């Protein structure tokens, strides 16, 4: 027990949860603060898992940022043959890329995913490879490989709860994605189908009420179990909850509610405004943007500035967050002012020299005049004696 306790102490998360605090059904789960990326709670968050349809979060934001949503996409036969949930696309029909993203994210259309991949990169394989590399660069994922755009099972299609939270955090910075992610329904009209498609996430569409839910995506295939990604906001704090592999759908929602409740009840956000000045050993540093972190309510938070300008935030001695600040160099106007002072000093020195020269010239003239007067007076004397 001592060894296990010691190991848990040295595994870094922003908090370590005791079993009595949270009891989760999910095999893997994470709670992340969406602005700072702080991990508030986790269970096997870096364990390799099969994501099922929550994959479509990655597909949607990748397309929104890299595609032209107004472009027309011609649906291939391969796209119409996709297994699982579909939006009943017909071979040869033309649908805008933006509409396909809606069908993908809101109704979980696997056929829309294939059509998107073929349009964007020519094939599902190439699209998946590009998408994986994109999120490695943009979101910092480390344990993910996408093999398709929809999440149907494949041994080579895997991720982790932490990587999914990072992707969702990245996606939530895009206003178009945020709007789609929170949509409860959308009217759908195509060659073969006219209906209103509904979001399958029960907390988003209100079947399971929860204050502040802003978006979500659910998934299921037998090897993945039930998977769920949910975002919520309360009192200025935005949270991302990811739960992976529960045997029952209800359990994934129970875990999500428990995670969100834990975050909102125990943590509060704090923001360091852009342009705040920090000093250390005569050096000045500033932050070029707002810096956000969260901490436990009532805890003692300390800020420390390192020599290299790194701002370290600790909560009762435990690392919460690190930010790299910008070094404030001497401004050019200050340099000009110093130069002006130096020039003024030089001018004063030159003026002093000219003053001394002037005094010397006047003194010389006076002496010369006195000499001339003396000689004149002497000459007059000599004339009298003669």
């Amino acid at each position: 027990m001592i060894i296990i306790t010691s190991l848990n102490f040295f595994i870094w998360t922003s908090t370590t949860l005791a079993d009595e605090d949270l009891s989760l059904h999910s095999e893997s789960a994470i709670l992340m603060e969406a602005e700072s990326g702080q991990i508030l709670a986790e269970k096997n968050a870096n364990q390799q898992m099969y994501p099922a349809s929550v994959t479509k979060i990655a597909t949607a934001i990748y397309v929104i940022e890299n595609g032209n949503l107004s472009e027309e996409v011609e649906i291939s036969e391969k796209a119409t043959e996709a297994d699982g949930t579909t939006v009943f696309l017909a071979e040869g029909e033309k649908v805008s890329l933006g509409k396909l993203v809606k069908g993908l994210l809101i109704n979980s259309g696997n056929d829309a995913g294939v059509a998107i991949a073929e349009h964007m990169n020519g094939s599902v394989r190439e699209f998946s490879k590009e998408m994986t590399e994109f999120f490695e660069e943009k979101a910092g994922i480390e344990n993910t490989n996408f093999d398709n755009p929809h999440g149907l099972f494949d041994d080579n299609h895997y991720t982790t709860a932490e990587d999914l939270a990072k992707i969702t955090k990245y996606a939530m910075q895009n206003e178009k994605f945020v709007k789609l992610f929170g949509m409860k329904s959308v009217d759908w009209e195509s060659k073969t189908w006219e209906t209103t498609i509904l979001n399958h996430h029960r907390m988003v569409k209100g079947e399971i009420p929860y204050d502040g839910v802003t978006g979500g995506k659910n998934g299921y295939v037998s090897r993945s179990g039930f998977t769920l990604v949910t975002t919520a906001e309360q009192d200025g704090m935005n949270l991302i909850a990811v739960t992976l592999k529960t045997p029952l759908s209800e359990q994934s929602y129970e875990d999500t509610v428990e995670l969100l409740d834990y975050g909102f009840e125990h943590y509060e956000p704090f923001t360091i405004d852009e342009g705040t000045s920090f000093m250390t050993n005569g050096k000045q540093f500033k932050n070029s943007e707002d810096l956000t972190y969260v901490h436990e309510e009532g805890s003692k938070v300390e800020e420390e500035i390192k020599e290299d300008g790194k701002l370290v935030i600790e909560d009762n001695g435990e690392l919460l967050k690190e930010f790299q600040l910008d070094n404030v160099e001497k401004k050019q106007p200050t340099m000009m002012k110093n130069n002006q002072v130096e020039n003024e000093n030089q001018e004063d020195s030159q003026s002093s020299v000219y003053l001394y020269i002037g005094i010397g010239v006047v003194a010389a003239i006076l002496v010369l005049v006195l000499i001339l007067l003396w000689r004149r007076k002497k000459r007059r004397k000599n004339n009298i004696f003669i």
Side-chain angles (χ1 to χ4, degrees), residues 56-93:
K56 290 163 182 163
I57 294 172
T59 303
I61 183 60
Y62 176 78
V63 176
I64 288 170
E65 295 205 346
N66 293 280
N68 182 346
L69 300 182
S70 63
E71 284 182 352
E72 294 290 306
V73 178
E74 185 170 347
I75 308 304
S76 70
E77 180 183 4
K78 183 176 181 181
T80 65
E81 294 173 346
D83 294 330
T85 307
T86 69
V87 286
F88 300 103
L89 298 172
E91 182 182 355
E93 77 169 310

Side-chain angles (χ1 to χ4, degrees), residues 241-255:
V242 180
T243 62
L244 300 177
K245 199 172 185 179
T246 59
L248 300 174
S249 174
E250 291 79 4
Q251 292 173 333
S252 64
Y253 288 100
E254 290 172 5
D255 286 357

Side-chain angles (χ1 to χ4, degrees), residues 62-316:
Y62 176 78
V63 176
I64 288 170
E65 295 205 346
N66 293 280
N68 182 346
L69 300 182
S70 63
E71 284 182 352
E72 294 290 306
V73 178
E74 185 170 347
I75 308 304
S76 70
E77 180 183 4
K78 183 176 181 181
T80 65
E81 294 173 346
D83 294 330
T85 307
T86 69
V87 286
F88 300 103
L89 298 172
E91 182 182 355
E93 77 169 310
K94 293 184 178 180
V95 183
S96 72
L97 187 60
K99 185 174 180 178
L100 289 175
V101 173
K102 289 181 180 179
L104 171 91
L105 196 60
I106 298 170
N107 198 60
S108 206
N110 296 331
D111 50 354
V114 175
I116 287 169
E118 291 179 336
H119 176 77
M120 290 283 294
N121 295 93
S123 69
V124 166
R125 180 180 295 275
E126 186 60 28
F127 175 87
S128 304
K129 176 177 175 291
E130 292 289 332
M131 184 167 71
T132 302
E133 293 174 354
F134 176 82
F135 287 110
E136 286 174 347
E137 177 184 352
K138 298 293 186 178
I141 62 173
E142 298 178 347
N143 300 295
T144 294
N145 184 73
F146 293 121
D147 193 64
N148 60 62
H150 41 59
L152 290 172
F153 178 78
D154 188 285
D155 280 324
N156 201 37
H157 185 86
Y158 56 84
T159 187
T160 66
E162 183 171 350
D163 277 0
L164 279 173
K166 288 179 179 180
I167 291 170
T168 306
K169 175 183 180 295
Y170 176 82
M172 293 301 287
Q173 299 172 35
N174 185 291
E175 292 183 2
K176 290 181 180 178
F177 176 88
V178 171
K179 184 178 179 180
L180 288 177
F181 203 46
M183 289 183 100
K184 297 181 179 181
S185 64
V186 67
D187 292 334
W188 185 271
E189 183 177 350
S190 65
K191 188 175 181 179
T192 62
W193 204 31
E194 184 175 343
T195 188
T196 298
I197 58 176
L198 303 175
N199 196 313
H200 296 177
H201 193 296
R202 296 173 63 192
M203 294 173 72
V204 173
K205 60 184 179 180
E207 284 184 8
I208 300 176
Y210 193 89
D211 183 34
V213 168
T214 56
K217 184 73 189 80
N218 64 316
Y220 174 80
V221 293
S222 58
R223 292 285 296 274
S224 303
F226 289 93
T227 62
L228 201 64
V229 176
T230 311
T231 59
E233 185 272 334
Q234 290 183 15
D235 299 324
M237 183 163 65
N238 293 276
L239 300 182
I240 300 167
V242 180
T243 62
L244 300 177
K245 199 172 185 179
T246 59
L248 300 174
S249 174
E250 291 79 4
Q251 292 173 333
S252 64
Y253 288 100
E254 290 172 5
D255 286 357
T256 296
V257 169
E258 190 167 358
L259 284 167
L260 292 175
D261 281 349
Y262 178 84
F264 288 130
E265 290 172 5
H266 290 81
Y267 288 86
E268 59 184 357
F270 184 81
T271 300
I272 301 173
D273 294 333
E274 176 186 348
T276 301
S277 181
F278 300 86
M279 294 293 295
T280 179
N281 293 333
K283 295 181 181 179
Q284 184 180 8
F285 297 90
K286 287 187 177 182
N287 52 315
S288 58
E289 59 183 2
D290 288 348
L291 304 178
T292 301
Y293 64 88
V294 297
H295 60 88
E296 286 191 85
E297 292 184 351
S299 61
K300 183 180 179 181
V301 178
E302 296 180 347
E303 299 176 357
E304 181 183 1
I305 309 296
K306 301 293 186 181
E307 275 285 334
D308 60 356
K310 185 174 290 183
L311 174 61
V312 179
I313 311 294
E314 293 186 342
D315 184 350
N316 293 318

Side-chain angles (χ1 to χ4, degrees), residues 342-361:
E342 184 177 346
N343 291 337
E344 289 173 2
N345 291 336
Q346 291 176 352
E347 290 174 1
D348 290 343
S349 298
Q350 291 175 352
S351 298
S352 298
V353 171
Y354 294 147
L355 178 62
Y356 294 144
I357 293 175
I359 292 173
V361 170

